[in-house]
Amino acid sequence: YPRKEITHRSMLKKIFTMTKWTVWTVASCLSLYVTIVNIGATKQVHRAMEYLPMTDKILYQNLNEGPVCAFLNTGKGKTYDVRTFHNSTAARA
C-alpha cells in the first residue's frame, strides 16, 4: 500500500471544517425533525377529517329549529338590536 503523505492543516482550517460539519449536522437534524412533525400533523388532519361529517351533523343538524337569536346592525356605533324569535322564519321576516 502506498503511504499517503500526512498533511498538516492550520488551526483556522480545522476550526472551519469542524464548524462546517457541526452546522451541517444540526441543519440535517432540524430538517428531519420538521419532516417528522409534518408527517404527524398530516396524519392528524386526515384523522380529524374522517370525523368531521359526523361532528357537523351532531352539532348543526338542529341549529335552526326552535328559538333563534338574531341581531340587527342599526349602523349607529357599536350597538346592536338583539332579539329572540320563535323560529328562523320569524327571524328572517
Side-chain angles (χ1 to χ4, degrees):
Y1 295 107
R3 294 177 105 189
K4 289 186 176 182
E5 285 188 34
I6 299 174
T7 58
H8 296 284
R9 291 190 253 168
S10 69
M11 184 60 87
L12 185 62
K13 282 190 176 186
K14 288 179 183 179
I15 291 172
F16 177 74
T17 302
M18 283 185 1
T19 304
K20 184 172 72 172
W21 277 101
T22 303
V23 168
W24 183 87
T25 303
V26 168
S28 297
C29 289
L30 285 174
S31 297
L32 183 62
Y33 173 75
V34 168
T35 302
I36 291 170
V37 167
N38 280 329
I39 289 170
T42 302
K43 289 187 179 286
Q44 185 177 12
V45 166
H46 287 294
R47 187 71 169 179
M49 294 301 274
E50 284 178 27
Y51 292 104
L52 189 61
M54 182 185 354
T55 307
D56 187 72
K57 183 178 176 184
I58 291 169
L59 292 176
Y60 302 113
Q61 182 178 18
N62 302 320
L63 182 68
N64 290 325
E65 294 177 10
V68 293
C69 289
F71 70 91
L72 174 65
N73 183 357
T74 58
K76 298 175 186 173
K78 295 184 179 183
T79 58
Y80 297 102
D81 184 18
V82 180
R83 295 183 185 168
T84 303
F85 297 92
H86 294 294
N87 55 33
S88 61
T89 307
R92 290 190 184 112

